[in-house]
Amino acid sequence: KPSTQGSKTAQYLGPALRHLRERRGRKQYRVAEEAGISKGTLSTYEAGRSFPSIPTLFRLLDSLGSSLEELDRVLRRLNQ
């Protein structure tokens, strides 16, 4: 179940996840399917309305072929 705690973090993480997905030309439903979540859940993450659990975040990054380091770089760039 998505967490709504840390809503400020979710607001920043969501656009970063969307950025990574779109930069790779991936569709929401594919990434969600590979990460074992629904498209709607991924949509709430990307919109910053909720925050994925740590295991889900790692599955999303794996599905995107990304890493925490890359996510951190995107977060820093988007929130300067």
Side-chain angles (χ1 to χ4, degrees):
K1 181 178 177 185
S3 170
T4 55
Q5 294 179 341
S7 60
K8 198 71 158 167
T9 302
Q11 288 177 329
Y12 294 121
L13 179 66
L17 288 171
R18 182 182 313 113
H19 176 83
L20 289 170
R21 180 181 59 76
E22 290 177 347
R23 190 166 72 188
R24 286 163 169 75
R26 302 289 312 279
K27 300 287 185 187
Q28 265 187 343
Y29 78 93
R30 281 275 197 225
V31 172
E33 184 178 83
E34 291 173 8
I37 60 175
S38 72
K39 179 183 173 281
T41 297
L42 179 55
S43 180
T44 65
Y45 296 157
E46 289 187 356
R49 293 190 305 268
S50 64
F51 188 81
S53 67
I54 297 301
T56 300
L57 178 60
F58 277 104
R59 288 194 310 270
L60 285 167
L61 291 173
D62 187 51
S63 173
L64 292 167
S66 189
S67 65
L68 280 177
E69 292 80 12
E70 183 179 16
L71 177 62
D72 182 58
R73 283 192 301 272
V74 171
L75 282 165
R76 290 173 190 273
R77 189 168 47 244
L78 292 176
N79 296 299
Q80 288 182 351

